[in-house]
Each structure stands twice: as C-alpha cells, then as structure tokens.
Amino acid sequence: MVLIFVEHDGGKPADSSLEMLTLARDVADQLDAPVEAAVFGDGEGLADELGQFGVEAIHVVDYDGVETYAPIAWAESLDQLASAVEPEAVVAPGSERGHEVLAHLGASRDIPMAANCLDVTVGDAYEVERQRWGGTLLEHARLSGDPKLLTAAKNELTVAPAAESAEPAVEPFTPELTDDDLAVRIDRIEESDEEGIPLGEARIVVSGGRGVGSAEDFDQLEELADLLDAAVGASRAAVNEGWRSHDDQVGQTGAKISPTLYIPCGISGAVQHMVGAKGSEYILPINTDPEAAIIGHADYAVIGDLHEVVPELNETLRERSD
Amino acid sequence: MNVLACLKRVPNTGAKIVLTEDQQEIDTTNLGFTMSPHEECAVEEAVQIVEEHGGSATALTLGSAEATEQVRTAIAMQADEGVLLETDGEEWSPRNTAGAIAEFVRDRQEDGGGFDLLLFGNESADAGNYQVGVRVARELGLPIVTSIKSLSVEDGAVVAEREIPRGSEVYELDLPAVVAVKEGLNEPRYASMRARMQARRQEVEHVTPERRTDAGLKKIRLESPETEDSETEILGHGPEAVPEIVRVLEDELEVI
C-alpha cells in the first residue's frame, strides 16, 4: 500500500497534493497496491474528490490539537499510522509542510527521504528521478529504507483523475501523542497589510530585472500590472540592487509562479530565474537583447527598451479602458 | 546567546550548468564557489542576534578543506568563530551530515559551550534534500521549525514566521531550538575587503567527523533536464510593437 499525506483547505485538496497523487498512483500501480490517504483536520468532503483520484481509504487523524498544523505531532501521527497500516511507501507533496513532515518521519525512523521526485521505478530499492538545484539539474538515485519516503516535485506533475474512481472509506485514526509533540505548532496567523495580488495566485505577472535600472523605474511596471490586474515580480538581481523586496522575487530561492501570462522586463533569463517562472503558461519578455536566454524560453517577445515599450503600452491600455 | 549557523559550500553556477563526463558532479573547472543563499541569511541572522543579545556566533560547515573559504566568508560577515568538519570532499548523505553536526554540538555542550540556537538553510542550493536541520534537531531532542522568513529572539524563546498567501504563520519555540531559514529573512551584509583580510588570519577549528555507514539515497547519475526551446514569435521592435502586444493579449491569450 502507498500512504499519502494530503494537505487540504477545508476539504479542498491543495494543488500540490493532487500533483503528488499522480506520482503516488504510479508507484501504487507498479506495486499493484492501493493508495490510502492520511489527512488532518476536518476531512469531510475530501472523500468525493480523493475518490476521483483513486484513493481507496482516508485516515482522518483524530486528536485534540492536531487540527492546527504542528509538524512534530503530525509526523508522529503519520509514523504511528504507518506502523498500523505498514505502507511500502509514504509520499508527500513537495510543499513546505510536505517536506517538513516527511523529514521528521525520516529522522525519527532513521531512514532516507528523497525530496522533489519526478519519476519512480519500484524494486527492492526504488530508482528515483529527482530535482536538484531547484530543478535545473536532475538526479537519478537509488532509494532504500522501509518504507520508502518520497516527496513529489511541485508544478511539474500533471493533475489527472484516476482511470477508475474509488469510493474511499473514511476512518478515524487516533494517535498517542504527548504535549512535547504538540509544542511546535502555529501559535497564530498574522495577516499581511500588503495590498495587491499575491505572486503565487496572479493570473498575470509582470517582472523586472537588472534592465529596469532603478527602484523608481519599477513604477511603470506597477502601472502596467495595475492595468492588467497583474502582480509585480522581480529577478534576484533587482532584489539584490534593493529595488524590490525579496517577497517579490521569482526564482529558485524566491516564488515559483504559475500564471497564464508572464511578462519579464529587462530580465536575461538565468536558469535560477527560469525555475521559478517555468510554471507560466505563456511567456512574453520585453528585452533589448535578442540573444538573451529569456527569448529562447518565450512564446512571444518584444525586442526593445522596456523604458520605451512599457509607457507606450500603458498609454494604449489606459485609452482602451476609458 | 550562543548561535550556530550551519552552511554549505556550493559552486557558483552561471547561466548553464555543465556536468563532468561521468555525470557524477558539476564541472567546476571554470566556476568559483559560494555559500548557499539561504545559509548566507542564516549567518547574517546569527550575527545580528549576537549583536543585539550578546554572546557568540559560530559558523560551521561540513566539507573538504576548501570549504574553509566559505567559513572565512562567514567570519568576514562578523561571525565570531569558524568550524570545519573536514571530510574527503565526497558528498555526504543528509543523515551522515546531520550525525556529524549533532555530535559536534553535543561535544561542545559537554565542554560547557552549548548553543542556544542552531540555524540552518532550509535546503542546500545544490542537493535540495530539505532535511539536515530536522535530523539534527531530532537527534538532539530539540524543537525545530523550517521554511522561516522572519525571526526574533525574546525572553528565552524564538518567534519564527513562515510565509503563507496574504500573511504568515507564527511559531514560538522555547530555546534551545533549531530553525531552518529561507532567503528573504534578512539582507546579508557585504563583507568589506578589510574584514576579509582579517578573516584570513583567524583560526578555523578543524574536526574530523566519523562517517556512519549509510545505504541512504545513492546517486546514480546527474543529467540536465531537456529544455523545451519554444518557438518564439517576435511581436516587433520597440514601442511600435505595442499594437501587436495588445492584439495578442486580447485575441490570442484572452487576458484583457
């Protein structure tokens, strides 16, 4: 059996969990075994959706205090559930929580964990293909351990319902936890007072790089974003220059975005930037250099100085909306 | 407050990563080396905490003798001392790396030099295993939280924030504790030439850790992902391309 850790928001599975299910189901098919899910919090309503993705049982962890994220308690619960149901593999999404919970499980059992996997071939040891360097390199590796611990790379696997849907049984699972297990937990949520659309949720992202030239010159990009209902991003170079805050950074050590349209302005397109941007459906750079790497990654491109193109574009869009 | 910042030496890759012929490593013939970006923030944070609360900031790495270079960079960033857990340069698994670091921390503790806070990068730039900090914390029986982008120390506890859409989750951990941080936590200072010169003269403690036996995750080979070089339609040059941009946004992509 393959046990998966599913993240959800009030019964709606997270995208990264659905992507992970594509990998988990592939492992289960190779093993000719079912997929069963571990969920925390109110799992009501998950049965239908997870059933469509071929999940055959849902174990809802039932313990006072675990409905709020508490990494050690969650990992300990998963550990105890794994002891009860003896999975051959435990698969988690390549999200912050997925990595954290599975790393705890690997540490407490003293077994390895393979992060950000794209492909798995089962056997005594599993052969995995996984991302390194934020996805700019792939590693083929042999994973041992019982069970095998894997996280699935984000924004890489296609979300696809199972060929045959299942009607999962929903069963409570009550772990034995201590206060120590619950010591690390979300104490409170603080809402940011920042306005605008978060990068990760934007349908269009307008980004600026070194070619923008100054913090003030980002005003034109802000205006363009405003006209397009877009979020504003930046390359690491622009952040290092102090023109934008790190929260706006797109790339390996910043946000990974997946908008319909990405408009990078004055960004050369280094691999570290592209791993953050490759989830974009369409890319339309504005760049003075026709040889820039970003042009090769693009669907459309404008060759020119953003300081000339963007104001003109803003003007046209403004007139259009009037 | 005694703070330990753990860091990793990684190649400073350019626009394209080139592999060695046997596909086991990155070809570093023409590359310099640097500190993983998340860990640069860990070092900066350790120094800032000590500047505010007093105590000592220690920078540690596990790697070949060459990794002393990155420990010295941390010293130039005003870390008080540096430690190298020296290996033959082979890539150690997260489990073995964590074991060696935990043992060093325990030894220090027995000598009366325990750490109140251990900082790690959330994941190394090169291997991206997301687990060394967690394994160290579990081995030492300390609380840990990962993916942290804001951190402060107050009254024997560390307050740590993880970013979520439109806000942050706040965690409070009693010290001693372990925190794995991400870039954006702070702005790492630029080490001046003078600080770099001084750092060169400072002694870096060498420890030779024992490597545990470990089946672990065994590398077979590396490869570069196939890049989809997409067909690029050039919409035009300069401001004259604007009508064409608007047409694409409206008719082809239907986003306006």
Side-chain angles (χ1 to χ4, degrees):
Chain A
M1 187 257 286
V2 174
L3 181 64
I4 58 172
F5 165 62
V6 173
E7 281 184 85
H8 67 99
D9 183 7
K12 192 185 174 323
D15 289 345
S16 56
S17 286
L18 294 179
E19 292 167 10
M20 171 270 288
L21 256 156
T22 300
L23 186 76
R25 225 168 40 227
D26 180 37
V27 173
D29 286 348
Q30 292 180 49
L31 294 166
D32 198 16
V35 175
E36 300 188 7
V39 304
F40 294 80
D42 187 2
E44 202 76 29
L46 271 173
D48 264 2
E49 182 129 20
L50 291 184
Q52 289 174 31
F53 287 85
V55 174
E56 297 192 25
I58 300 176
H59 305 274
V60 180
V61 177
D62 181 24
Y63 192 93
D64 205 15
V66 299
E67 50 306 324
T68 302
Y69 181 59
I72 297 168
W74 283 30
E76 185 58 32
S77 303
L78 202 58
D79 199 340
Q80 291 176 21
L81 176 60
S83 296
V85 301
E86 297 186 337
E88 273 144 283
V90 182
V91 189
S95 60
E96 293 183 339
R97 290 184 181 183
H99 282 134
E100 186 169 48
V101 167
L102 220 61
H104 273 288
L105 185 56
S108 78
R109 293 207 173 196
D110 201 19
I111 52 174
M113 161 190 131
N116 288 329
C117 296
L118 294 162
D119 192 34
V120 176
T121 308
V122 307
D124 269 350
Y126 287 9
E127 193 175 323
V128 302
E129 182 184 55
R130 61 177 294 267
Q131 293 180 326
R132 291 179 68 137
W133 288 98
T136 55
L137 263 193
L138 302 178
E139 174 185 15
H140 288 261
R142 215 163 274 127
L143 173 68
S144 57
D146 180 25
K148 307 292 185 293
L149 304 183
L150 312 150
T151 68
K154 262 174 86 168
N155 297 332
E156 291 286 344
L157 300 153
T158 313
V159 172
E164 279 177 59
S165 63
E167 283 180 25
V170 180
E171 296 154 2
F173 175 77
T174 309
E176 283 177 33
L177 300 174
T178 64
D179 288 350
D180 273 356
D181 294 332
L182 285 155
V184 179
R185 54 182 302 136
I186 297 176
D187 182 69
R188 56 189 183 274
I189 303 273
E190 278 178 8
E191 286 181 22
S192 100
D193 44 18
E194 280 187 34
E195 291 172 19
I197 307 163
L199 273 180
E201 295 174 12
R203 208 167 53 102
I204 305 178
V205 174
V206 178
S207 271
R210 202 187 298 279
V212 177
S214 75
E216 294 71 41
D217 282 302
F218 263 91
D219 290 351
Q220 314 160 35
L221 302 188
E222 289 276 1
E223 192 184 352
L224 176 58
D226 222 30
L227 289 160
L228 293 173
D229 278 330
V232 177
S235 71
R236 190 162 190 257
V239 172
N240 283 349
E241 291 287 349
W243 301 337
R244 301 297 289 185
S245 100
H246 182 272
D247 295 345
D248 297 341
Q249 187 174 315
V250 173
Q252 184 174 346
T253 52
K256 315 270 193 295
I257 57 169
S258 47
T260 305
L261 173 63
Y262 184 49
I263 309 179
C265 303
I267 292 179
S268 63
V271 281
Q272 290 84 351
H273 182 74
M274 292 318 298
V275 295
K278 69 181 172 188
S280 312
E281 204 173 329
Y282 295 97
I283 302 183
L284 191 171
I286 301 172
N287 205 298
T288 50
D289 178 8
E291 302 295 322
I294 194 87
I295 308 291
H297 297 293
D299 302 279
Y300 306 94
V302 174
I303 309 302
D305 186 346
L306 68 98
H307 301 89
E308 294 168 12
V309 178
V310 174
E312 177 77 17
L313 179 58
N314 289 348
E315 181 69 35
T316 308
L317 289 171
R318 238 189 338 261
E319 281 167 12
R320 219 177 142 272
S321 65
D322 284 342
Chain B
M1 282 290 294
N2 290 331
V3 187
L4 177 71
C6 297
L7 59 97
K8 186 172 185 183
R9 168 186 168 91
V10 296
N12 202 352
T13 58
K16 192 166 163 38
I17 294 179
V18 180
L19 297 174
T20 55
E21 207 147 292
D22 64 3
Q23 287 184 281
Q24 291 299 304
E25 306 292 340
I26 288 182
D27 184 350
T28 54
T29 320
N30 298 311
L31 296 179
F33 285 81
T34 183
M35 210 186 286
S36 243
H38 295 323
E39 291 131 44
E40 216 178 322
C41 292
V43 171
E44 175 63 35
E45 197 69 19
V47 170
Q48 285 185 16
I49 290 169
V50 167
E51 281 171 351
E52 192 184 335
H53 299 272
S56 173
T58 303
L60 174 148
T61 196
L62 178 140
S64 64
E66 285 79 40
T68 314
E69 179 191 344
Q70 278 63 45
V71 175
R72 288 199 195 283
T73 303
I75 293 170
M77 289 169 70
Q78 304 305 306
D80 299 286
E81 56 168 326
V83 178
L84 172 71
L85 304 182
E86 191 174 344
T87 69
D88 55 6
E90 241 187 85
E91 187 167 52
W92 281 33
S93 71
R95 180 177 171 272
N96 287 346
T97 303
I101 295 172
E103 193 162 319
F104 168 80
V105 172
R106 260 194 309 257
D107 285 350
R108 270 294 177 93
Q109 186 132 30
E110 281 165 17
D111 297 342
F115 295 103
D116 304 288
L117 181 62
L118 278 59
L119 298 178
F120 288 83
N122 199 56
E123 81 277 0
S124 62
D126 60 343
N129 285 310
Y130 293 80
Q131 54 194 276
V132 171
V134 173
R135 287 180 189 271
V136 170
R138 294 292 287 225
E139 189 153 338
L140 295 171
L142 296 176
I144 175 166
V145 64
T146 65
S147 299
I148 292 306
K149 279 185 78 171
S150 167
L151 192 160
S152 63
V153 172
E154 20 192 279
D155 304 329
V158 56
V159 180
E161 293 184 29
R162 177 185 297 186
E163 216 168 71
I164 53 172
R166 297 189 169 81
S168 59
E169 301 168 348
V170 186
Y171 298 82
E172 286 189 25
L173 278 61
D174 287 336
L175 295 174
V178 185
V179 180
V181 303
K182 292 176 81 163
E183 190 182 53
L185 178 76
N186 51 38
E187 280 180 38
R189 69 195 67 196
Y190 182 75
S192 66
M193 189 47 77
R194 192 185 139 89
R196 283 175 190 277
M197 297 294 280
Q198 280 173 344
R200 253 191 246 170
R201 287 195 294 270
Q202 188 164 334
E203 194 151 329
V204 170
E205 182 183 343
H206 279 234
V207 179
T208 311
E210 219 162 290
R211 182 167 168 177
R212 302 174 179 180
T213 53
D214 184 9
L217 181 67
K218 223 172 155 22
K219 177 163 64 191
I220 301 168
R221 66 175 189 281
L222 299 175
E223 60 185 49
S224 298
E226 287 172 28
T227 48
E228 308 149 37
D229 241 348
S230 40
E231 287 274 308
T232 310
E233 184 184 333
I234 304 294
L235 301 180
H237 291 73
E240 278 139 45
V242 165
E244 194 56 12
I245 301 175
V246 174
R247 186 192 62 77
V248 165
L249 295 180
E250 189 168 14
D251 300 341
E252 291 192 25
L253 305 178
E254 296 176 0
V255 292
I256 55 170

